Amino acid sequence: MGTGILLIHGYTGAPGNFGQLLDVLAAACPEAKIESITLPGHPSLAPDFDTPAFLKVIHHAAETLTKEGRELILVGHSTGGVLALAAMEAHNISAKLLVLAATPKRIDGSVLTRWNAHSEAAAHISFSSLARMVALINSMGAKPFDRCPVLVLQGEEDALVSCSEATEWRTHFKPGMARAVIVPQGEHHLFTGPGKDFAVDIIQRTILDATQNLSPAESQSIERLMGDEPEVRTFLQRSPFSARHLALCPSGRGEPAKLSAQVDCEPVFANIEITTHCNLQCAFCARTALNKPSRHMPLQAFRRILDLLPHAYRITLVGLGEPLLHPEVVDFVAEAKSLGRRVALVTNALMLTPECAERLLGAGLDSIAFSLDAPTSELANQVRAGTDLHKAITHIKGFNALAKATRPIARAVFAAVSMTTLPFLEALVRLVAELGVDVLMLSDLNFQRNLPQTLWKNQSDSVAATVRQAIRTAFALRLPILSVRGLETFALARHYQKHLLVPPSQLYTRSRTHTHCCSPWQTLPVSVDGTLTVCDCQPERIVGNLLRQPLSELWKTGAMQKQRWRMISGLPVEACEICPRY
């Protein structure tokens, strides 16, 4: 079965309003048949708004493609989006995807004023045509729609249709059915004016997702993933076009695969920094060195990021700040969960009060990692200045008890081991074993400036013996200790055996060749302002800004592509050579 794509221009518009979109889609989807409809009476300065005639020509084009055995994708610009909705309802047209580009949801007096200023044709339109247009827009904007996934595309600088209408369209449809993308600098003519590359990239990628079917091997991968991690099924019910990306990402393949500088999938994991505020000054944290200004991410920006990363199944709230300091952190969790995402959070637990714990669990949090490096107050303050160890432990125990009593979720302690904390590692293991977490994950230090304190640069028989004893104690206490190489594993709880810190030397050795890290092939770190970096271990290496640049440009080329090539070429960047995950 092939694909048929219909491009429907707006009232007083013309097929030329789609710019280069048709040519781009033809190159991306060579098997598809694409038709750019010219509405009756167009092009003309003041065509009659003839709803039956408009819907008839759309229906005829759709019927022709359907009879050829093609699945339909409808792309409507401006009023063309409303006509697409009306045609689907009036003629029971089935589609695999609907795109509403700069499409008004309602018309009132203020909108008509803007329209008169926007269009030279407005003064020549008859009152009856204007009334019919307004009636159709307001009618379709108020009716429920649950026929297919919807992409809403809206220009940031659209003088005719405001950005708020994109949000209204998004909430108009069933949760997870629609996503709304704001085109930076985009005006009403999204495909011919500022931001056109961004708009075309979004539509091209979305339509490509809708037209590609899973191979038998990819279907098997998805079945395995859903069996291992039931949340995947929920996510794919809301985002069916994400299946291929999950199946093709390195972690989704389930076995080692040859990697190249090119990527077959979009990001399936996103590590999002919702704040750079922090209540600690950790000696080994990159935040201390980078000295980033403190700010919170607005919830609306978070929504935009999620819509720009539709295949990011796993969302982790983490970065160079403490997520629980964000006053809306619970809303962030709830927002991601409403889209079927699996949501994790990394915290130092100092703000994890019983009330906060209850709200996070109620919002649907799926997993949590507690950062804890030391078993004594004095040592904790030495490596994480400002730590109240007693408060952190109390909060962790309280959260774990509440989770077990209400809705069990994955709980872990993440500890960065240094030469300063190594002598206390066994004591830390004993402490963590009493907290009620599922697992302890250990990592050697990262970053160039921390090298003198790494176990790697201080290897000795004594270091090896201390690590072995700590791990031996953990296993005796039935506390799994994992390597950081399992961070991006699906259903990690089911695959502990593959990632146990055995042999213990994994903790303090480095691989000379690329062996484990798949981050640049599947994970995207997003900073508080939408800035992207090549990986969490290199927060200073900027890729670009997700909110301002096309994702294809950021993810598939430039710094990200160079990073992948360096990792597999035998000439890795220094940050990879010293990274415990490499």
Side-chain angles (χ1 to χ4, degrees):
M1 181 179 288
T3 302
I5 303 174
L6 293 181
L7 305 183
I8 308 167
H9 65 77
Y11 182 45
T12 74
N17 294 149
F18 286 103
Q20 298 299 309
L21 180 61
L22 189 150
D23 292 337
V24 170
L25 293 179
C29 310
E31 302 300 321
K33 186 172 182 179
I34 308 171
E35 182 174 347
S36 188
I37 292 175
T38 299
L39 295 175
H42 294 71
S44 171
L45 181 62
D48 184 39
F49 195 90
D50 188 343
T51 302
F54 293 166
L55 300 190
K56 181 178 179 181
V57 72
I58 295 171
H59 175 230
H60 176 72
E63 189 176 43
T64 300
L65 292 172
T66 301
K67 286 181 178 179
E68 295 176 3
R70 298 181 182 275
E71 293 183 307
L72 293 180
I73 292 175
L74 277 64
V75 181
H77 174 249
S78 190
T79 319
V82 177
L83 292 170
L85 282 166
M88 292 179 73
E89 179 189 58
H91 298 288
N92 198 28
I93 296 173
S94 296
K96 199 168 186 181
L97 172 70
L98 171 65
V99 179
L100 303 178
T103 298
K105 190 175 187 296
R106 53 179 169 71
I107 293 282
D108 57 19
S110 65
V111 177
L112 286 175
T113 300
R114 293 200 302 272
W115 191 60
N116 285 327
H118 170 80
S119 173
E120 62 176 311
H124 304 277
I125 300 294
S126 69
F127 180 79
S128 59
S129 281
L130 189 62
R132 287 193 293 271
M133 180 188 73
V134 171
L136 182 66
I137 291 172
N138 289 342
S139 171
M140 298 312 303
K143 290 183 177 180
F145 180 91
D146 60 0
R147 291 173 175 266
C148 65
V150 181
L151 169 64
V152 179
L153 208 61
Q154 181 61 50
E156 187 177 46
E157 304 296 335
D158 192 332
L160 183 56
V161 181
S162 70
C163 280
S164 63
E165 292 198 49
T167 302
E168 291 177 20
W169 274 123
R170 185 177 184 269
T171 57
H172 175 81
F173 303 109
K174 289 196 308 184
M177 174 178 283
R179 61 187 182 108
V181 174
I182 305 300
V183 178
Q185 300 181 312
E187 299 173 354
H188 191 63
H189 289 293
L190 286 171
F191 308 108
T192 57
K196 61 183 180 182
D197 292 340
F198 192 101
V200 170
D201 178 65
I202 288 287
I203 291 184
Q204 174 196 9
R205 291 188 292 105
T206 305
I207 288 180
L208 197 60
D209 285 337
T211 59
Q212 293 184 333
N213 297 315
L214 294 180
S215 69
E218 291 163 359
S219 295
Q220 289 178 3
S221 293
I222 290 300
E223 287 298 323
R224 176 179 50 79
L225 287 177
M226 290 191 296
D228 279 352
E229 198 163 307
E231 296 93 337
V232 170
R233 186 182 302 275
T234 301
F235 173 61
L236 293 180
Q237 289 172 347
R238 288 177 168 84
S239 184
F241 302 152
S242 297
R244 188 166 178 272
H245 296 273
L246 291 178
L248 288 175
C249 75
S251 291
R253 293 172 188 170
E255 57 184 30
K258 185 174 177 59
L259 299 173
S260 73
Q262 305 297 327
V263 282
D264 297 321
C265 67
E266 291 186 13
V268 296
F269 304 141
N271 297 334
I272 303 179
E273 177 185 73
I274 65 172
T275 184
T276 50
H277 287 267
C278 194
N279 46 8
L280 299 180
Q281 291 182 312
C282 301
F284 305 120
C285 179
R287 182 179 186 275
T288 305
L290 292 177
N291 195 29
K292 294 179 71 171
S294 297
R295 59 179 294 186
H296 294 312
M297 176 185 286
L299 182 58
Q300 185 57 38
F302 183 69
R303 292 191 180 109
R304 288 179 63 180
I305 288 168
L306 293 181
D307 283 333
L308 287 165
L309 299 174
H311 312 303
Y313 157 67
R314 185 185 299 172
I315 303 296
T316 303
L317 307 184
V318 65
L320 302 183
E322 167 52 50
L324 297 187
L325 286 174
H326 197 301
E328 297 176 290
V329 61
V330 174
D331 296 324
F332 279 69
V333 173
E335 181 68 28
K337 284 302 298 179
S338 73
L339 300 176
R341 316 293 178 101
R342 180 176 172 83
V343 187
L345 184 147
V346 180
T347 177
N348 58 38
L350 293 179
M351 302 292 293
L352 192 60
T353 63
E355 179 188 5
C356 178
E358 185 174 359
R359 293 180 65 214
L360 286 171
L361 289 168
L365 186 69
D366 293 293
S367 68
I368 191 167
F370 307 108
S371 299
L372 187 64
D373 298 342
T376 68
S377 295
E378 181 180 1
L379 185 60
N381 262 302
Q382 182 179 345
V383 295
R384 290 178 174 269
T387 295
D388 183 333
L389 185 61
H390 176 72
K391 178 186 287 187
I393 290 173
T394 299
H395 286 171
I396 293 171
K397 287 183 175 179
F399 182 93
N400 291 336
L402 181 62
K404 289 178 180 179
T406 56
R407 186 178 61 80
I409 69 171
R411 305 174 309 281
V413 165
F414 184 94
V417 186
S418 66
M419 289 304 294
T420 300
T421 61
L422 179 64
F424 302 86
L425 183 56
E426 185 177 5
L428 177 65
V429 164
R430 294 184 182 279
L431 171 62
V432 173
E434 297 175 354
L435 296 180
V437 296
D438 302 312
V439 69
L440 168 62
M441 185 170 283
L442 296 182
S443 175
D444 198 359
L445 292 180
N446 208 344
F447 306 122
Q448 176 69 33
R449 68 187 190 90
N450 292 332
L451 285 182
Q453 273 284 322
T454 62
L455 308 190
W456 176 43
K457 288 297 184 181
N458 293 276
Q459 294 183 52
S460 67
D461 291 343
S462 175
V463 167
T466 301
V467 173
R468 281 198 305 272
Q469 180 56 44
I471 293 176
R472 189 180 298 120
T473 298
F475 291 164
L477 295 172
R478 299 184 181 277
L479 173 67
I481 292 192
L482 304 187
S483 160
V484 288
R485 294 169 182 173
L487 273 174
E488 295 183 350
T489 300
F490 283 103
L492 181 59
R494 295 195 178 198
H495 301 288
Y496 281 167
Q497 293 295 328
K498 295 181 181 179
H499 300 287
L500 291 174
L501 201 54
V502 178
S505 58
Q506 289 183 58
L507 181 59
Y508 50 82
T509 56
R510 301 291 190 272
S511 174
R512 292 187 176 183
T513 59
H514 175 248
T515 308
H516 300 286
C517 178
C518 293
S519 179
W521 284 269
Q522 59 188 16
T523 302
L524 199 58
V526 186
S527 299
V528 69
D529 61 354
T531 297
L532 308 181
T533 58
V534 294
C535 67
D536 294 296
C537 303
Q538 300 178 71
E540 75 289 347
R541 286 193 62 199
I542 305 298
V543 173
N545 191 286
L546 181 64
L547 299 172
R548 315 305 300 178
Q549 296 167 258
L551 179 61
S552 293
E553 172 187 312
L554 300 170
W555 178 245
K556 294 184 177 181
T557 64
M560 290 298 294
Q561 186 181 50
K562 184 177 180 180
Q563 171 70 12
R564 297 182 197 108
W565 181 83
R566 289 288 300 269
M567 288 177 68
I568 62 177
S569 67
L571 299 170
V573 296
E574 184 179 49
C576 291
E577 291 182 307
I578 66 178
C579 179
R581 296 173 57 192
Y582 180 63

